[in-house]
């Protein structure tokens, strides 16, 4: 391969001019860094142009690291310090050669150092800088798992490994077999990174581990296909499942504790055409219900929420799709209502947080303890406040509505798109409109949006297309924010989530319209005429303009709501 200096290539191709190159070289002399990174940062060239030129001029293949399965064992070939310093990622071995993703394949010193360190012929591939940073974080975050996989492979052919009993495990960490260390490491990392779920998915030739962080799945690591059965067996043992049953779904639970980390795990398996898929829901034992402010409530919505906590009776319902944070809001309300003066009873499936002073009841449908039967039993326990995890059917809804009418404060959740569509949902499952009108005090609808990472948050001026998507077309001088990606946020630009709320408190006039079975659009018009209702879209826009979240999150989470209002 004939190498040429990057600046000379860009100059010859007419992508940059001599002045731009000289300014970038001067900055490199003063501050250090890579010439390509400096040119991209200065706006002289974009990363796509850079990759396209290098690929064509040098005959170097590009690689999309975000869609690439990198075996965990690659972390054992090159140290993390070397990978970060040289901005390279080993991605596979083939025919005695090491394939190396690089942001600058013209860096002969980097190629030489990797060749010496790995003791192999190196084949360079070109990748985006941000993708390399993300791949390094993921690959070397799994270094313990890579070592465990290497040990599993070394033992896989031994009779000792073939006859290993997964239930016979020493409590001493140093004596744990590799598969136990691997599973423990994966779960521990999920807890540390605030993952809500971990998925073990069989694929062609491998098994992929993905975890859901801030509502989105991201690839965690790849496990060789020949070792994946051991991993599945270990998880099934933790959940006290039947190891021999591979053709039917199974559900189980486990308590996890390791090095100060603790969590309750809800584990389920399901057979697929490529093998068993395992899903692990992580419930942090030490988590506590958040305050209203921590949930994301502020201003007028916060005042509405506080007024609801003072209601002596009636029904307050939380709505939104799965994963929108309804349960967190209900737990926050339960925590705020809990006192020595009230008898507060919950019906939950599962009980996610333990709250001292609250009588929490676990739903067990196999034993006949459903939401409906449990609610009947609770009403015989002299309750003041009742929290029902979810209203799924008419029977549960009718009992809850009657309880709200007869002097109890009832909290619950329902799956609907927004606050106004909840009334239609209750009517659809058979509830009488006059009962809904009499019992219902308020509906809280919500979504979760990712927050911009504070470490890499940057201000920018949006273009007209972006302003149009936000409903701000033609307005000038608006500044927005986004995260550019950094090690703290695993180069995603986001860290943590907050909720977007709309809180509808029903007035007497609105209740009469519901009881009279008036169409949904009339109820909506009445609510808006009263001037006390702010929609999800309006609240989300405030978060974008205040720099809490991005316009991309606004579009991703609230596109349907935006379209319905425009």
């Amino acid at each position: 391969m004939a190498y040429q200096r990057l600046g000379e290539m860009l100059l010859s191709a007419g992508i940059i001019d001599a002045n731009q190159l000289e300014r970038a070289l001067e900055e490199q002399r003063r501050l250090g860094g890579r010439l390509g990174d400096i040119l991209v940062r200065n706006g002289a060239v974009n990363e796509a142009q850079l990759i396209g030129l290098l690929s064509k001029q040098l005959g170097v293949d590009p690689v999309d690291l975000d869609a690439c399965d990198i075996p965990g064992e690659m972390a054992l070939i090159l140290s993390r310090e070397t990978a970060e310093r040289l901005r390279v990622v080993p991605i596979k071995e083939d025919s005695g050669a090491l394939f190396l993703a690089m942001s600058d394949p013209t860096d002969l010193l980097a190629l030489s150092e990797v060749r010496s360190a790995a003791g192999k012929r190196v084949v360079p591939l070109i990748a985006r800088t941000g993708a390399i940073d993300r791949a390094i974080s993921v690959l070397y975050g799994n270094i313990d798992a890579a070592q465990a996989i290497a040990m599993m492979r070394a033992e896989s052919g031994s009779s000792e490994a073939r006859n290993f009993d997964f239930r016979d495990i020493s409590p001493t960490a140093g004596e744990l077999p590799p598969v136990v260390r691997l599973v423990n490491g994966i779960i521990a990392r999920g807890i540390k990174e605030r993952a809500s779920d971990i998925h073990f998915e069989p694929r062609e030739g491998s098994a992929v581990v993905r975890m859901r962080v801030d509502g989105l799945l991201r690839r965690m690591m790849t496990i060789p296909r020949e070792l994946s059965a051991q991993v599945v067996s270990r998880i099934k043992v933790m959940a006290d499942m039947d190891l021999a049953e591979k053709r039917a779904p199974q559900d189980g639970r486990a308590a996890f504790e390791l090095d100060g980390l603790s969590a309750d795990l809800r584990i389920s398996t399901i057979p697929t055409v490529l093998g068993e898929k395992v899903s692990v829901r992580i419930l942090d034992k030490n988590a506590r219900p958040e305050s209203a402010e921590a949930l994301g409530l502020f201003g007028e919505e916060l005042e509405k929420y506080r007024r609801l906590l003072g209601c002596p009776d009636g029904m307050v319902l939380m709505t939104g799709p799965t994963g929108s944070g309804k349960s967190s809001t209900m737990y926050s309300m339960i925590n705020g209502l809990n006192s020595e003066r009230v008898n507060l009873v919950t019906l939950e499936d599962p009980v996610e947080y333990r709250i001292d002073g609250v009588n929490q009841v676990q739903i067990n449908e196999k034993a006949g303890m459903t939401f409906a039967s449990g609610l009947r039993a609770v009403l015989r326990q002299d309750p003041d406040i009742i929290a029902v995890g979810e209203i799924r059917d008419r029977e549960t809804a009718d009992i809850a509505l009657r309880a709200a009418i007869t002097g109890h404060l009832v909290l619950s959740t329902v799956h609907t798109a927004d606050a106004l569509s909840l009334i239609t949902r209750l009517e659809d499952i058979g509830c009488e409109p006059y009962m809904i009108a009499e019992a219902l005090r308020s509906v809280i609808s919500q979504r979760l949006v990712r927050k911009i990472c504070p470490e890499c948050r940057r201000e920018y001026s949006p273009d007209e297309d972006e302003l149009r998507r936000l409903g701000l077309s033609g307005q000038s001088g608006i500044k927005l924010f986004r995260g550019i990606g950094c090690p703290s946020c695993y180069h995603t630009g986001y860290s943590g989530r907050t909720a977007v709320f709309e809180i509808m408190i029903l007035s007497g006039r609105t209740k009469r319209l519901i009881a009279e079975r008036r169409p949904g659009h009339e109820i909506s018009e009445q609510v808006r005429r009263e001037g006390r209702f702010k929609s999800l879209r309006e609240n989300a826009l405030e978060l974008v303009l205040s720099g809490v979240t991005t316009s991309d999150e606004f579009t991703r989470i609230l596109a349907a709501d935006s379209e319905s209002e425009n």
Side-chain angles (χ1 to χ4, degrees):
M1 184 185 298
Y3 285 95
Q4 186 181 6
R5 289 182 182 275
L6 176 61
E8 294 170 357
M9 273 192 240
L10 292 167
L11 201 58
S12 299
I15 296 175
I16 63 173
D17 58 36
N19 289 333
Q20 289 173 316
L21 176 58
E22 183 53 41
R23 284 197 299 271
L25 290 172
E26 173 58 28
E27 184 174 336
Q28 186 183 42
R29 284 190 289 269
R30 286 188 296 105
L31 305 175
R34 297 178 182 279
L35 181 62
D37 293 342
I38 295 169
L39 288 166
V40 170
R41 188 167 61 243
N42 292 346
V45 62
N46 62 50
E47 206 163 19
Q49 287 177 312
L50 197 59
I51 289 175
L53 174 72
L54 291 172
S55 178
K56 181 179 179 181
Q57 296 287 84
L58 303 176
V60 176
D61 291 333
V63 59
D64 182 0
L65 290 177
D66 292 330
C68 183
D69 282 334
I70 304 177
E73 304 95 295
M74 292 296 101
L76 306 178
I77 290 179
L78 205 63
S79 72
R80 180 169 191 154
E81 183 278 327
T82 301
E84 289 180 333
R85 177 168 48 83
L86 301 179
R87 277 275 178 78
V88 298
V89 184
I91 62 172
K92 68 175 181 178
E93 287 183 284
D94 190 17
S95 302
L98 175 66
F99 286 75
L100 190 72
M102 312 176 66
S103 58
D104 180 8
T106 66
D107 191 338
L108 295 174
L109 292 176
L111 286 167
S112 176
E113 185 172 340
V114 172
R115 188 162 47 244
S116 298
K120 300 177 182 295
R121 180 170 63 89
V122 176
V123 177
L125 303 171
I126 186 168
R128 291 183 294 111
T129 300
I132 287 176
D133 291 337
R134 286 192 294 274
I136 289 173
S137 295
V138 171
L139 178 62
Y140 290 94
N142 296 322
I143 186 69
D144 291 339
Q147 292 169 345
I149 288 172
M151 292 177 66
M152 287 171 67
R153 275 187 153 157
E155 294 180 357
S156 61
S158 69
S159 59
E160 180 181 350
R162 287 194 299 269
N163 298 325
F164 173 65
D165 185 349
F166 288 92
R167 293 180 175 84
D168 184 20
I169 296 172
S170 164
T172 306
E175 299 175 7
L176 292 177
V179 65
V180 178
R181 290 173 51 196
L182 174 59
V183 172
N184 284 354
I186 291 171
I187 295 173
R189 185 175 174 197
I191 295 171
K192 289 176 183 176
E193 296 192 20
R194 301 173 292 100
S196 60
D197 303 86
I198 302 176
H199 296 269
F200 298 78
E201 303 172 338
R203 303 283 177 87
E204 291 284 358
S206 66
V208 171
V209 182
R210 297 194 294 167
M211 61 183 176
R212 189 178 297 279
V213 178
D214 294 337
L216 297 181
L217 282 170
R218 71 173 183 230
R219 189 183 297 264
M220 185 178 182
M221 64 180 297
T222 300
I223 299 172
R225 183 64 184 273
E226 67 271 18
L227 304 179
S228 61
Q230 293 184 48
V231 173
V232 172
S233 294
R234 169 56 190 158
I235 297 172
K236 289 170 77 173
V237 165
M238 292 173 65
D240 199 25
M241 295 178 180
D242 184 354
L243 281 176
E245 180 57 75
K246 303 178 187 296
R247 297 175 297 175
Q250 297 189 67
D251 293 295
R253 301 179 181 187
F256 179 85
E257 297 205 18
L258 180 71
D259 297 335
L261 300 172
S262 63
D264 286 326
L265 309 178
R266 302 291 186 267
I267 300 171
S268 69
T269 67
I270 189 170
T272 75
V273 293
L274 294 175
E276 286 185 282
K277 178 189 180 299
V278 180
S279 177
V280 178
R281 167 65 57 88
I282 300 174
L283 303 174
D284 188 350
K285 284 184 177 180
N286 300 316
R288 291 290 180 270
E290 295 182 291
S291 66
E293 292 86 350
L295 288 173
L297 284 159
F298 61 93
E300 188 177 345
E301 305 305 289
L302 179 58
E303 290 304 312
K304 290 180 184 177
Y305 175 90
R306 287 173 174 161
R307 289 204 301 274
L308 290 175
L309 292 181
C311 294
D313 55 22
M315 178 180 279
V316 178
L317 293 179
M318 273 64 70
T319 76
T322 300
S324 60
K326 301 184 298 296
S327 295
S328 295
T329 301
M330 189 165 75
Y331 272 115
S332 178
M333 294 193 78
I334 291 169
N335 204 44
L337 291 164
N338 184 25
S339 79
E340 290 292 333
R341 297 186 299 275
V342 299
N343 178 16
L344 201 166
V345 186
T346 72
L347 294 165
E348 305 174 56
D349 186 23
V351 175
E352 296 188 17
Y353 304 115
R354 303 291 176 88
I355 304 176
D356 186 46
V358 175
N359 302 290
Q360 295 175 270
V361 179
Q362 171 69 53
I363 294 300
N364 186 345
E365 295 191 358
K366 290 182 180 178
M369 174 65 83
T370 64
F371 280 114
S373 64
L375 190 49
R376 286 195 190 91
V378 167
L379 287 170
R380 296 191 289 271
Q381 292 285 317
D382 183 34
D384 297 294
I385 303 168
I386 306 168
V388 183
E390 184 181 351
I391 291 178
R392 301 173 179 171
D393 52 55
R394 177 178 178 176
E395 185 180 15
T396 306
D398 280 344
I399 300 169
L401 288 169
R402 288 193 179 92
I405 291 170
T406 55
H408 305 89
L409 179 60
V410 179
L411 313 176
S412 191
T413 70
V414 181
H415 287 280
T416 62
D418 54 35
L420 291 165
S421 62
L422 176 130
I423 296 162
T424 303
R425 168 66 177 155
L426 290 177
E427 290 178 349
D428 286 346
I429 64 175
C431 296
E432 291 293 337
Y434 75 90
M435 291 278 289
I436 299 171
E438 190 172 352
L440 195 59
R441 278 190 176 273
S442 177
V443 184
I444 302 174
S445 182
Q446 66 185 85
R447 299 290 189 279
L448 290 177
V449 294
R450 293 182 293 171
K451 295 190 294 185
I452 300 171
C453 172
E455 301 296 326
C456 59
R457 183 174 177 268
R458 299 289 187 275
E459 185 182 76
Y460 71 99
S461 298
D463 59 24
E464 179 57 30
D465 181 61
E466 191 170 1
L467 290 172
R468 180 184 55 77
R469 286 190 284 114
L470 293 171
L472 303 173
S473 184
Q475 298 191 32
S476 59
I478 292 177
K479 298 293 183 181
L480 301 182
F481 295 84
R482 61 188 168 206
I484 61 173
C486 66
S488 295
C489 62
Y490 288 87
H491 303 279
T492 63
Y494 298 96
S495 179
R497 290 189 292 178
T498 191
V500 182
F501 292 92
E502 64 178 23
I503 300 180
M504 180 177 72
I505 296 179
L506 277 66
S507 67
R509 177 56 185 161
T510 303
K511 285 174 174 282
R512 284 195 293 275
L513 292 176
I514 294 170
E516 293 169 2
R517 299 177 183 267
R518 306 301 295 179
H521 71 272
E522 287 190 26
I523 297 172
S524 174
E525 288 169 4
Q526 174 62 31
V527 169
R528 295 184 185 283
R529 268 198 304 271
E530 292 170 0
R532 295 178 297 174
F533 179 74
K534 188 182 291 184
S535 69
L536 282 168
R537 183 188 182 282
E538 291 166 329
N539 281 309
L541 183 58
E542 286 189 19
L543 293 182
V544 173
L545 294 175
S546 61
V548 174
T549 191
T550 65
S551 64
D552 287 341
E553 280 294 280
F554 176 95
T555 303
R556 182 178 71 85
I557 300 298
L558 298 166
D561 301 275
S562 299
E563 290 171 5
S564 66
E565 293 187 14
N566 289 336

